Structures are given as C-alpha cells and as structure tokens.
Amino acid sequence: MTVHEVSSHCTREDLFIIVDNVVYDVTKFQKEHPGGVLSILEVAGKEATEVFLAENHSRYAVVSKLSQCYIADLDTRGVKMSETDPATGEPQSNQTITEPNASPSLPPSCPDVKRLSATAVNKIFSDHAEMFALPGMAWLVREHGCSSMVGACGVRSKKLAGAEGAEEEQRGSEGRKEGGNQASEEAALSGEEVFHWGSCSKALTATLILILIQDPSVPLEWETQVGHALPQLALPPDMAAITVRQLLTHRSGLHADLGGAGADDGNAGKRAEEALSKTTAGLSPTQSRVEYVKMMAKIELAHVPGSRYGPYSNAGYTILGAVAEAVTGDGWEELVQVRVAKPLGMGSLGFGFPRGEIRAHDEEGVPAPAEAEDVPWHAPAYTCHATLSDWDKFARVHLAALRGEPGAGEELGLQEDALRMIQAPASPAVEGEGFDGPEGPEGYAMGWKTEWREGE
C-alpha cells in the first residue's frame, strides 16, 4: 500500500496510520486508545512513527494492540528484501531466510489461494526487530488446512555485551580450540527449532484436565475440590474448597506464585523457590509438586474462591498438575505424553528449557543466562517445549473445535464440542466485576486467552 492510498483513509469512520513503514487500520481501536480519539485523528492517513515514539508507547502496546490492526507493509520504493546491494553484491538484509515448504503444490481439493512468502514475513520481522527487541522469529503458515510453509529469520541468540559477553566469548574461544561450537556466534535460526512454550503450556494442561474429566474411569469433575483430591495434605479449609474449574479459570484466589502478594517484586518468590529447590533436591517432579502445594497452603488467598478473577496464577496450574497426578496415579509429564502428545503425533514435546544455543530473551533483548533452568514443579504452568510443527498439531485441534468442525477432538478421545468447554471466556462473570492482580480478565477461558471481534 502506498502513502497516497493511505492518505485517503483519514476519517473517524475509516482511519489508517503508518508506523515504522507498516500500515494499520485503527478505525475500531481509536475508541479504546488510552490517549483518546483526537490524538489518533491528528495523524489519520499519515506517517505516525515520530508521534508514536514520542508518546513512549510500550512494546506490549505494539504487540497486543497495534499488531492486531495490521493491514499491509508500506510500499516505498518497491525494493524487496531479497534484492542485492549494487555496490557489494550482498543481500540488503542480513537476516537468514529459510523456507523449506514455501511453494508446495496444492492438493486438488484446495483453492488457489494467495501465498504469504518467506520474504514478505522476513520483511515484517526486519522492520520491527528493533522495536520488539527480537533476536529471531520463526513462522508456520497453514492455508485452508491443506498447505503449509515453515521458515525463520534472525538468530538463535544475540551476542552479549559487557562482562557477561566477554565471558561468553572466552568460553567460545576455548570451544573453538577444542573444535566445539561457539554459542555467541549468533547462529541462524531455523523454522524447526524447539521453542519454549511459556504460558501456552497452560492450554496443554487444560486440555489434559478435560480429557481426564471425560474419562469415566478417572474420579475427576469440574467441581472436584483440591482438598478432596489431595486429602493427605490437610489443606486450610478455604484452599481445600477450591475447585478444578476455579483453578482453570484463575478464579481460585491463589496468588501468582510462591511470593504471594509480594510476588510482583520478584524477590519474595525467588527466595521461596530457592528454598523449595533445596527441599525437593532429588525428588521426582510429582513429589516436588506436592511440596509446592504445601508451601502455597501457607499463603493467604487473595479472595474467596470463585468470587472474582485473579490473580493470574502459575500456582493454580501447578496445583492442577498435582490434582491430575493424585487422581490417576501417573505423573503429569507421562499423562501429557500418553493422552495428548502421542495421539497427535507431537514427537518433539518435552519439558524445561530446550537445550542448545537457542536462548530466551527478555523484553529488552537480553538473553537469559546460559545455565538457566525451569523448575520441574512448574511444568503444567509454563515449562513445555516443542517445534512449531508440533505446536501446530495441538493448535489445529482447538481451531477445528472452535469452528465447529465435525469430529474435532476425537483423536484425544473427546466427545464432539468438548474442547469448546475450555474455550469459553469465564471472566468477567458479570459486567463490571472486579479482579485481583495487575492483569484484568481480558476474556480468559481455561488455559486460553480469547478475543472476540465483530462477526466472530
């Protein structure tokens, strides 16, 4: 889309803006804009990058709001990222492009759809990399369920600056002398890396709980109470009364984690996790989750279970893992592999930080320490990993259910429409309902955050 084309979309009813060479349709978003409608109208149909940056918008605003309004890349001079520099003969982009399935032949039943090329995706990444502080990005595109493209651009990990970077470089030099690899060389990212799921692991746990509830041989229901599932722990009455449904929807009153009400400063939670790590040294993940529940039982609830949303709780999903283990006699990791991963063919699914050069980065682009580890008890909340292709297998089952496709979920032994039970938003239960914690409900269901738009 050209600047001239954008300029015609300049009214309150039809409002486009340009930020960092990308065109966004903010017609619907303008009413939600914290800065008011007028500030957006001032740049309607125009270049808004300078104003956007001057307002000191956060990266969260870009990712969660502005990116949802994406229309097209701005057509400036028509130069493609894959073209070479006339002076050097080298590619103008220093990003690595891999597209092993970029042009697959369409099955006869598929419509002739317009393809999204790896070069186009690479351009989107390159234009936003600095703003998002992303070291690399991988993608998987599925068109009408019958063709796909896997690709990547960028690097596995950014080079570190300062003392830590010097230490990394020293380790790399020693590795080269011994013929080893150097993690700080910024190895190119591929589309088939194993990626850490983070809180997407909660969707996996919610799916497992649904499977167990629908299995008549397992004594588990939506209203099963934690105290009933874990009677040996003699939990406080209010915590014992928390139900499986309340854990899944973050309406249990449990705090985010072991830090309790002070978890936001990070220090209380860190000290508690260090203490628990010592207590659970040598224990299995299942045993460590029982110890975790005991520690959470010492922390007062934020509110009466079921009365409101929040806080968003890793603790709740960790306790769900312990409940699943208690009612089945099997470890959560085994349950996930047998009940979900194997039926869907997710061979790469594992737990903890993926080993190798690929590193997690914070919002400022700083890599996590090379020795960083996920604590085993938190696997049901945020420590799974898999390739994008395997994530796609899991996500497609849920998308099929959301679309009402016949037989959705039958691979998992679920009744038709069962998956929609965990996709329905649970909060706010009534308009204007309050919440605890730094985040509002925002359409949270069970393991999934939902967003409904007009016509959907």
Side-chain angles (χ1 to χ4, degrees):
M1 180 173 281
T2 65
V3 172
H4 178 70
E5 290 172 326
V6 175
S7 66
S8 63
H9 300 271
C10 57
T11 67
R12 188 188 295 263
E13 293 74 29
D14 182 23
L15 204 166
F16 287 13
I17 62 172
I18 302 169
V19 175
D20 203 20
N21 288 332
V22 177
V23 182
Y24 299 98
D25 180 354
V26 295
T27 307
K28 295 180 179 179
F29 170 66
Q30 59 181 306
K31 294 181 180 180
E32 304 173 20
H33 185 231
V37 175
L38 292 180
S39 61
I40 293 185
L41 283 173
E42 290 176 355
V43 290
K46 303 176 184 177
E47 166 62 54
T49 304
E50 186 175 344
V51 174
F52 184 87
L53 295 177
E55 293 294 331
N56 196 29
H57 288 85
S58 67
R59 291 191 181 92
Y60 175 80
V62 179
V63 177
S64 66
K65 296 296 182 184
L66 199 57
S67 61
Q68 297 176 20
C69 305
Y70 172 83
I71 291 295
D73 293 328
L74 185 69
D75 182 5
T76 52
R77 295 179 298 170
V79 178
K80 296 181 179 179
M81 294 299 292
S82 58
E83 292 182 350
T84 58
D85 187 323
T88 64
E90 296 294 324
Q92 292 195 39
S93 169
N94 62 1
Q95 307 294 331
T96 301
I97 303 174
T98 59
E99 44 179 315
N101 299 308
S103 301
S105 58
L106 285 170
S109 60
C110 285
D112 184 11
V113 294
K114 182 179 179 180
R115 298 193 179 284
L116 179 65
S117 71
T119 300
V121 177
N122 183 75
K123 184 178 187 302
I124 293 172
F125 167 72
S126 300
D127 287 347
H128 291 76
E130 185 174 355
M131 183 181 295
F132 294 156
L134 297 175
M137 181 178 71
W139 61 83
L140 184 147
V141 178
R142 178 168 295 279
E143 299 168 309
H144 293 268
C146 54
S147 63
S148 63
M149 174 184 74
V150 179
C153 53
V155 296
R156 290 178 172 186
S157 177
K158 287 185 175 182
K159 288 182 178 179
L160 299 175
E164 189 176 356
E167 291 175 6
E168 283 269 322
E169 182 61 29
Q170 177 63 29
R171 287 195 293 269
S173 298
E174 293 172 357
R176 286 194 298 274
K177 290 176 183 177
E178 297 171 3
N181 294 325
Q182 182 198 176
S184 61
E185 285 183 339
E186 299 193 344
L189 188 69
S190 83
E192 283 299 339
E193 303 280 358
V194 174
F195 291 96
H196 195 264
W197 282 21
S199 280
C200 290
S201 304
K202 292 180 175 67
L204 185 63
T205 294
T207 303
L208 173 64
I209 294 295
L210 173 63
I211 292 170
L212 296 180
I213 287 176
Q214 293 220 329
D215 184 341
S217 68
V218 178
L220 188 67
E221 304 291 340
W222 297 113
E223 305 311 320
T224 296
Q225 296 182 342
V226 174
H228 180 76
L230 302 167
Q232 76 278 18
L233 298 187
L235 301 172
D238 55 353
M239 183 175 178
I242 293 172
T243 67
V244 166
R245 187 189 302 275
Q246 290 163 355
L247 291 172
L248 286 165
T249 56
H250 296 302
R251 296 180 67 88
S252 68
L254 287 165
H255 284 282
D257 217 321
L258 290 173
D264 290 343
D265 66 14
N267 294 324
K270 184 177 180 180
R271 290 192 298 270
E273 287 210 345
E274 289 174 350
L276 185 57
S277 293
K278 294 178 181 178
T279 302
T280 59
L283 298 182
S284 69
T286 296
Q287 293 169 323
S288 71
R289 275 186 277 275
V290 171
E291 296 302 315
Y292 179 88
V293 177
K294 291 178 182 178
M295 288 193 71
M296 283 302 301
K298 300 175 183 178
I299 302 173
E300 186 177 350
L301 299 183
H303 58 73
V304 175
S307 62
R308 58 171 59 194
Y309 174 88
Y312 180 92
S313 179
N314 290 322
Y317 274 74
T318 299
I319 294 174
L320 279 167
V323 167
E325 291 169 329
V327 298
T328 62
D330 296 320
W332 180 87
E333 290 80 2
E334 180 183 357
L335 286 169
V336 166
Q337 293 286 6
V338 172
R339 299 270 191 157
V340 183
K342 186 175 181 180
L344 297 181
M346 299 167 62
S348 68
L349 182 71
F351 313 101
F353 275 142
R355 299 297 90 193
E357 294 176 358
I358 189 168
R359 302 265 289 278
H361 294 66
D362 66 16
E363 292 185 357
E364 301 304 320
V366 178
E371 69 278 5
E373 295 277 356
D374 277 336
V375 288
W377 56 80
H378 268 323
Y382 61 73
T383 78
C384 297
H385 63 250
T387 61
L388 274 180
S389 295
D390 278 351
W391 167 256
D392 174 58
K393 295 172 184 176
F394 177 71
R396 270 190 290 140
V397 172
H398 281 272
L399 285 172
L402 193 63
R403 293 168 180 156
E405 296 178 12
E410 63 182 13
E411 312 98 312
L412 303 175
L414 294 172
Q415 300 170 10
E416 193 163 341
D417 293 334
L419 286 169
R420 302 196 74 167
M421 297 180 189
I422 64 174
Q423 296 170 346
S427 297
V430 294
E431 187 175 354
E433 180 184 58
F435 62 89
D436 286 311
E439 300 177 8
E442 298 179 340
Y444 199 85
M446 296 182 184
W448 293 102
K449 177 181 175 182
T450 63
E451 180 174 329
W452 300 89
R453 302 181 184 181
E454 286 186 36
E456 296 183 341

